[in-house]
Amino acid sequence: MYSGECDVKKCEKIEKHLLEKYRFVRRFVIGRTYLKRRIIAYSIGKGGVLCCGAFHGAERITAMMLYKFLDEVCGYMEKDEQFLRIVIQTGLTVIPMVNPDGVEIGANGVHTAGEGSEFVSECLLKAKLPHKKWQANARGVDINHNFNAGFGKVKENERKMGIYSPSPTRYGGEFPESERETASLCELCRENEYKLAVALHSQGREIYYDYGGNTPKESLQIAKNMAQLSGYKVSYPMGIAVGGGFKDWFIEEFSRPAFTIEIGEGENPLSPDIFDIEYPLVSKMLNYLLEYAIKNSDE
Ligand SMILES: [Zn+2]
């Protein structure tokens, strides 16, 4: 069910299956995209751990990983009543697809942008990229450069790369949270006191944990433990990857641990064939984060 190409239709099919199977999962819409697609979250309990994926169209395999992780955790919960109670008490929210418009453009082509198709075509033409390389939302804004963390630096880096306008990748928008995807996610975080957040991207088999002075002291050790479990390496962002990202904003805003995990190795979009190799590694890391939150939730 989780291998193979990912798009919105496939996610809807998976969702139906999961909601029928597990009655304790609450599904809700955190916002709508420019093209009116729903940004969907699945929650067990309140607060706790927040896992997000598919910020980038060409990284949609991360949505499949998060659906499978949700299925896995729910499966354990069903079999073990004590674990069920603990997870409900700790809280887990999963948002497999932060950028459904970008996923559709990447997976199924420019026409999926509807009234925005012409605009998307122009952006691709200007950047000399095929639709499958599309990373941004349907307005040509890179969601993971649109968060309010070092935004001035983000814009400076952009200009150094010759990016001055909407683009398939790396254009941060006119101001932080200018995009609905970004604003919806920030609002959700402000309303719910998540203890810890993780964002899945591809690729590189890397873990990022650090952003400026508010990075919690325990974050490095958590990242090291994930690295040991998965064989991924702990890394520090360079150049264009500095600031503007979800994990950067989460750390700066809440002074709580947040991580970016770059799954897999190769060129984006990664082949769906890597799912079976990579998922067990990702699962180990996500399960570890959940366990960590469980252990630290009574304080
Ligand atoms: Zn990414």
Side-chain angles (χ1 to χ4, degrees), residues 115-282:
E115 57 190 72
S117 304
E118 209 172 310
F119 172 77
V120 168
S121 289
E122 278 166 29
C123 290
L124 285 166
L125 210 65
K126 212 162 62 182
K128 298 189 180 76
L129 288 173
H131 76 86
K132 63 175 189 156
K133 291 278 179 195
W134 188 268
Q135 293 277 56
N137 70 357
R139 292 182 357 115
V141 176
D142 192 317
I143 299 305
N144 215 43
H145 290 230
N146 190 237
F147 287 89
N148 194 11
F151 196 73
K153 188 83 189 145
V154 170
K155 298 308 282 182
E156 199 182 296
N157 282 335
E158 252 172 55
R159 287 189 282 270
K160 274 187 204 155
M161 296 192 68
I163 299 166
Y164 296 92
S165 58
S167 160
T169 179
R170 292 177 175 176
Y171 173 67
E174 281 177 41
F175 54 90
E177 291 181 42
S178 60
E179 303 311 294
R180 292 178 187 175
E181 295 86 348
T182 323
S184 306
L185 186 51
C186 290
E187 201 186 313
L188 181 82
C189 289
R190 289 186 190 107
E191 282 170 5
N192 293 273
E193 292 186 359
Y194 298 111
K195 293 275 181 340
L196 182 159
V198 59
L200 296 191
H201 289 259
S202 70
Q203 49 78 44
R205 287 192 168 169
E206 291 172 304
I207 303 159
Y208 295 95
Y209 71 94
D210 178 55
Y211 184 75
N214 288 354
T215 307
K217 59 179 190 325
E218 64 271 28
S219 290
L220 173 60
Q221 193 55 51
I222 298 173
K224 279 183 177 170
N225 292 345
M226 283 196 283
Q228 199 175 16
L229 286 166
S230 61
Y232 281 30
K233 66 174 189 291
V234 179
S235 295
Y236 300 84
M238 307 254 282
I240 189 84
V242 176
F246 171 64
K247 87 134 188 4
D248 307 328
W249 172 78
F250 191 92
I251 291 170
E252 190 151 285
E253 181 86 5
F254 304 113
S255 303
R256 294 195 189 127
F259 305 91
T260 292
I261 301 178
E262 294 280 357
I263 67 124
E265 253 173 347
E267 201 185 313
N268 286 329
L270 295 175
S271 159
D273 297 346
I274 66 128
F275 189 91
D276 293 341
I277 302 163
E278 219 61 30
Y279 179 73
L281 308 176
V282 174

